[in-house]
Amino acid sequence: MKISVNDQCPCHSGKKYKKCCQPYHKGVIPANATLLMRSRYSAFVLRNARYIISTTHPDNTDFTNDIKQWEEDIFGFCDNINFDGLKILEFIDGDSEAYVQFDEILSGAHFIEKSRFLKEEGRWLYESGVFE
Ligand SMILES: [Zn+2]
């Protein structure tokens, strides 16, 4: 999916892409785990596999050094899902560990997920997520 910088951000924030997740996709470090979570969600919508990979913690079960295969897996996921909605339910911040609970609508179905993020060298990374 291609969007213009003035389009609504795919993370469903109601803001323009250029005022929301685009800066993170261009290299700005998200200040907290919620911003990272939103920018990963919009990266899935935009098929930005590089961003997903670069913000995944090495302890994540999807983590692999086979970048080519990992990208293919991400594209496969993105192409088969409609990202219909995102609402942050709870954000538990910390110095090096944070949790974000959110309600996402994927292809019309609601999922409540709680994601765990770890901070490594000043950058938040997605470590794991559980569906509730
Ligand atoms: Zn956004």
Side-chain angles (χ1 to χ4, degrees):
M1 180 176 150
K2 287 263 180 278
I3 62 163
S4 126
V5 293
N6 284 309
D7 286 342
Q8 295 249 317
C9 190
C11 79
H12 300 276
S13 61
K15 297 183 204 164
K16 289 181 177 178
Y17 177 51
K18 70 177 178 187
K19 298 267 186 196
C20 190
C21 293
Q22 190 198 29
Y24 307 125
H25 296 163
K26 291 178 96 172
V28 173
I29 306 291
N32 63 51
T34 297
L35 295 173
L36 176 68
M37 191 270 134
R38 300 199 83 95
S39 65
R40 282 175 53 90
Y41 182 96
S42 52
F44 274 113
V45 179
L46 298 171
R47 296 176 100 254
N48 187 344
R50 288 278 155 165
Y51 188 78
I52 301 297
I53 289 169
S54 71
T55 56
T56 299
H57 194 278
D59 289 349
N60 184 276
T61 50
D62 289 338
F63 195 92
T64 168
N65 288 318
D66 186 349
I67 301 296
K68 195 100 199 83
Q69 182 57 52
W70 194 357
E71 280 186 336
E72 289 301 317
D73 290 347
I74 291 169
F75 291 145
F77 175 75
C78 297
D79 293 346
N80 285 296
I81 300 265
N82 289 322
F83 298 87
D84 301 323
L86 175 67
K87 205 167 110 191
I88 307 293
L89 301 176
E90 189 179 21
F91 173 38
I92 303 167
D93 204 4
D95 291 336
S96 60
E97 182 182 21
Y99 291 88
V100 181
Q101 188 195 42
F102 53 92
D103 180 348
E104 60 184 342
I105 308 172
L106 301 177
S107 300
H110 274 276
F111 295 92
I112 308 283
E113 185 181 336
K114 191 170 192 177
S115 291
R116 180 173 186 242
F117 298 85
L118 298 175
K119 201 174 195 178
E120 302 286 347
E121 294 169 2
R123 295 173 65 227
W124 287 104
L125 298 172
Y126 172 71
E127 193 264 343
S128 62
V130 287
F131 290 103
E132 302 187 330

